[in-house]
mmCIF file of all heavy atoms in Angstrom:
data_model
loop_
_atom_site.group_PDB
_atom_site.id
_atom_site.type_symbol
_atom_site.label_atom_id
_atom_site.label_comp_id
_atom_site.label_asym_id
_atom_site.label_seq_id
_atom_site.Cartn_x
_atom_site.Cartn_y
_atom_site.Cartn_z
ATOM 1 N N THR A 139 28.555 55.917 -5.664
ATOM 2 C CA THR A 139 29.423 57.039 -5.340
ATOM 3 C C THR A 139 30.066 57.610 -6.598
ATOM 4 O O THR A 139 30.141 56.902 -7.643
ATOM 5 C CB THR A 139 30.533 56.507 -4.365
ATOM 6 O OG1 THR A 139 31.438 57.578 -4.059
ATOM 7 C CG2 THR A 139 31.305 55.361 -4.976
ATOM 8 N N GLU A 142 35.622 57.925 -6.115
ATOM 9 C CA GLU A 142 36.802 57.521 -6.882
ATOM 10 C C GLU A 142 36.612 58.055 -8.305
ATOM 11 O O GLU A 142 35.510 57.980 -8.864
ATOM 12 C CB GLU A 142 36.925 56.011 -6.895
ATOM 13 C CG GLU A 142 37.405 55.391 -5.586
ATOM 14 C CD GLU A 142 36.245 55.055 -4.659
ATOM 15 O OE1 GLU A 142 35.078 55.189 -5.112
ATOM 16 O OE2 GLU A 142 36.486 54.708 -3.517
ATOM 17 N N ARG A 144 37.243 56.849 -11.013
ATOM 18 C CA ARG A 144 36.763 55.892 -12.008
ATOM 19 C C ARG A 144 35.285 56.035 -12.314
ATOM 20 O O ARG A 144 34.850 55.892 -13.456
ATOM 21 C CB ARG A 144 37.091 54.432 -11.661
ATOM 22 C CG ARG A 144 36.284 53.872 -10.473
ATOM 23 C CD ARG A 144 36.089 52.365 -10.606
ATOM 24 N NE ARG A 144 35.032 52.090 -11.595
ATOM 25 C CZ ARG A 144 34.612 50.849 -11.835
ATOM 26 N NH1 ARG A 144 35.151 49.853 -11.239
ATOM 27 N NH2 ARG A 144 33.635 50.637 -12.712
ATOM 28 N N TRP A 145 34.490 56.308 -11.217
ATOM 29 C CA TRP A 145 33.049 56.325 -11.425
ATOM 30 C C TRP A 145 32.600 57.522 -12.259
ATOM 31 O O TRP A 145 31.554 57.545 -12.888
ATOM 32 C CB TRP A 145 32.316 56.333 -10.055
ATOM 33 C CG TRP A 145 32.623 55.084 -9.271
ATOM 34 C CD1 TRP A 145 33.351 54.992 -8.129
ATOM 35 C CD2 TRP A 145 32.190 53.734 -9.562
ATOM 36 N NE1 TRP A 145 33.437 53.685 -7.663
ATOM 37 C CE2 TRP A 145 32.710 52.936 -8.546
ATOM 38 C CE3 TRP A 145 31.400 53.206 -10.580
ATOM 39 C CZ2 TRP A 145 32.500 51.542 -8.494
ATOM 40 C CZ3 TRP A 145 31.201 51.812 -10.572
ATOM 41 C CH2 TRP A 145 31.703 51.012 -9.526
ATOM 42 N N ASP A 220 28.910 46.738 -12.653
ATOM 43 C CA ASP A 220 30.210 46.495 -12.016
ATOM 44 C C ASP A 220 30.114 45.752 -10.709
ATOM 45 O O ASP A 220 30.963 44.933 -10.353
ATOM 46 C CB ASP A 220 31.005 47.772 -11.782
ATOM 47 C CG ASP A 220 32.485 47.455 -11.464
ATOM 48 O OD1 ASP A 220 33.050 46.653 -12.195
ATOM 49 O OD2 ASP A 220 33.016 47.940 -10.485
ATOM 50 N N ARG A 221 29.058 46.020 -9.895
ATOM 51 C CA ARG A 221 28.897 45.254 -8.660
ATOM 52 C C ARG A 221 27.587 44.454 -8.748
ATOM 53 O O ARG A 221 26.572 44.997 -9.068
ATOM 54 C CB ARG A 221 28.777 46.226 -7.496
ATOM 55 C CG ARG A 221 30.067 47.048 -7.265
ATOM 56 C CD ARG A 221 29.896 48.060 -6.201
ATOM 57 N NE ARG A 221 31.097 48.822 -5.940
ATOM 58 C CZ ARG A 221 31.130 49.910 -5.177
ATOM 59 N NH1 ARG A 221 30.005 50.309 -4.573
ATOM 60 N NH2 ARG A 221 32.250 50.554 -4.959
ATOM 61 N N ASN A 236 36.473 39.833 -11.454
ATOM 62 C CA ASN A 236 37.001 40.434 -10.229
ATOM 63 C C ASN A 236 37.830 39.476 -9.412
ATOM 64 O O ASN A 236 38.785 39.922 -8.739
ATOM 65 C CB ASN A 236 35.892 41.041 -9.428
ATOM 66 C CG ASN A 236 35.247 42.219 -10.169
ATOM 67 O OD1 ASN A 236 35.977 43.105 -10.617
ATOM 68 N ND2 ASN A 236 33.953 42.210 -10.333
ATOM 69 N N ASP A 270 30.738 45.531 -0.237
ATOM 70 C CA ASP A 270 30.827 45.482 -1.694
ATOM 71 C C ASP A 270 31.288 44.089 -2.114
ATOM 72 O O ASP A 270 32.369 43.684 -1.740
ATOM 73 C CB ASP A 270 31.922 46.526 -2.120
ATOM 74 C CG ASP A 270 32.223 46.470 -3.656
ATOM 75 O OD1 ASP A 270 31.589 45.713 -4.350
ATOM 76 O OD2 ASP A 270 33.120 47.220 -4.034
ATOM 77 N N ASN A 272 32.429 42.994 -4.724
ATOM 78 C CA ASN A 272 33.688 42.983 -5.473
ATOM 79 C C ASN A 272 34.860 42.897 -4.556
ATOM 80 O O ASN A 272 35.831 42.173 -4.796
ATOM 81 C CB ASN A 272 33.860 44.283 -6.298
ATOM 82 C CG ASN A 272 32.974 44.286 -7.514
ATOM 83 O OD1 ASN A 272 32.338 43.260 -7.832
ATOM 84 N ND2 ASN A 272 33.000 45.366 -8.222
ATOM 85 N N PHE A 276 37.816 40.287 -4.855
ATOM 86 C CA PHE A 276 39.260 40.657 -4.929
ATOM 87 C C PHE A 276 40.057 39.896 -3.899
ATOM 88 O O PHE A 276 41.138 39.341 -4.166
ATOM 89 C CB PHE A 276 39.513 42.166 -4.721
ATOM 90 C CG PHE A 276 38.778 43.064 -5.685
ATOM 91 C CD1 PHE A 276 38.253 44.306 -5.290
ATOM 92 C CD2 PHE A 276 38.621 42.661 -7.027
ATOM 93 C CE1 PHE A 276 37.547 45.107 -6.161
ATOM 94 C CE2 PHE A 276 37.938 43.506 -7.915
ATOM 95 C CZ PHE A 276 37.385 44.742 -7.472
ATOM 96 N N TRP A 304 35.617 51.843 1.332
ATOM 97 C CA TRP A 304 36.790 52.006 0.493
ATOM 98 C C TRP A 304 37.480 53.378 0.772
ATOM 99 O O TRP A 304 38.152 53.921 -0.117
ATOM 100 C CB TRP A 304 36.388 52.034 -0.992
ATOM 101 C CG TRP A 304 36.012 50.677 -1.564
ATOM 102 C CD1 TRP A 304 34.788 50.199 -1.734
ATOM 103 C CD2 TRP A 304 36.938 49.672 -2.110
ATOM 104 N NE1 TRP A 304 34.798 48.956 -2.356
ATOM 105 C CE2 TRP A 304 36.124 48.616 -2.588
ATOM 106 C CE3 TRP A 304 38.306 49.583 -2.223
ATOM 107 C CZ2 TRP A 304 36.637 47.476 -3.187
ATOM 108 C CZ3 TRP A 304 38.816 48.441 -2.828
ATOM 109 C CH2 TRP A 304 37.987 47.397 -3.279
ATOM 110 N N ASN A 331 42.658 48.895 -4.009
ATOM 111 C CA ASN A 331 42.401 49.840 -5.145
ATOM 112 C C ASN A 331 43.287 51.087 -4.990
ATOM 113 O O ASN A 331 44.029 51.202 -3.979
ATOM 114 C CB ASN A 331 40.927 50.222 -5.245
ATOM 115 C CG ASN A 331 40.484 51.204 -4.209
ATOM 116 O OD1 ASN A 331 41.171 51.479 -3.228
ATOM 117 N ND2 ASN A 331 39.285 51.789 -4.439
ATOM 118 N N GLN A 356 44.491 49.432 -7.924
ATOM 119 C CA GLN A 356 43.560 48.990 -8.974
ATOM 120 C C GLN A 356 42.777 50.220 -9.375
ATOM 121 O O GLN A 356 42.435 51.090 -8.581
ATOM 122 C CB GLN A 356 42.565 48.024 -8.356
ATOM 123 C CG GLN A 356 41.346 47.815 -9.222
ATOM 124 C CD GLN A 356 40.288 46.848 -8.636
ATOM 125 O OE1 GLN A 356 39.386 46.439 -9.301
ATOM 126 N NE2 GLN A 356 40.392 46.538 -7.340
ATOM 127 N N ASP A 357 42.495 50.333 -10.664
ATOM 128 C CA ASP A 357 41.634 51.315 -11.350
ATOM 129 C C ASP A 357 42.396 52.182 -12.324
ATOM 130 O O ASP A 357 41.799 52.873 -13.157
ATOM 131 C CB ASP A 357 40.924 52.294 -10.360
ATOM 132 C CG ASP A 357 39.784 51.621 -9.608
ATOM 133 O OD1 ASP A 357 39.309 50.596 -10.054
ATOM 134 O OD2 ASP A 357 39.386 52.182 -8.548
ATOM 135 N N LYS A 377 41.291 48.724 -15.922
ATOM 136 C CA LYS A 377 40.000 48.140 -16.286
ATOM 137 C C LYS A 377 39.413 49.062 -17.387
ATOM 138 O O LYS A 377 39.218 50.248 -17.122
ATOM 139 C CB LYS A 377 39.108 48.118 -15.070
ATOM 140 C CG LYS A 377 39.822 47.494 -13.870
ATOM 141 C CD LYS A 377 39.035 47.027 -12.682
ATOM 142 C CE LYS A 377 37.865 47.649 -12.183
ATOM 143 N NZ LYS A 377 37.449 47.127 -10.859
HETATM 144 C C1 LIG B 337 35.321 48.575 -7.904
HETATM 145 C C2 LIG B 337 36.649 49.273 -7.893
HETATM 146 C C3 LIG B 337 36.568 50.549 -7.098
HETATM 147 C C4 LIG B 337 35.925 50.233 -5.711
HETATM 148 C C5 LIG B 337 35.669 51.525 -4.898
HETATM 149 C C6 LIG B 337 34.846 48.369 -6.485
HETATM 150 O O1 LIG B 337 33.531 47.738 -6.544
HETATM 151 O O2 LIG B 337 35.369 47.368 -8.596
HETATM 152 O O3 LIG B 337 37.020 49.574 -9.209
HETATM 153 O O4 LIG B 337 37.834 51.084 -6.810
HETATM 154 O O5 LIG B 337 34.722 49.595 -5.837
HETATM 155 O O6 LIG B 337 34.795 52.351 -5.539
#
Side-chain angles (χ1 to χ4, degrees):
T139 177
E142 289 88 6
R144 70 149 285 185
W145 298 110
D220 196 48
R221 297 175 177 170
N236 294 311
D270 174 5
N272 286 355
F276 301 143
W304 288 97
N331 77 346
Q356 163 183 193
D357 288 341
K377 311 196 324 193

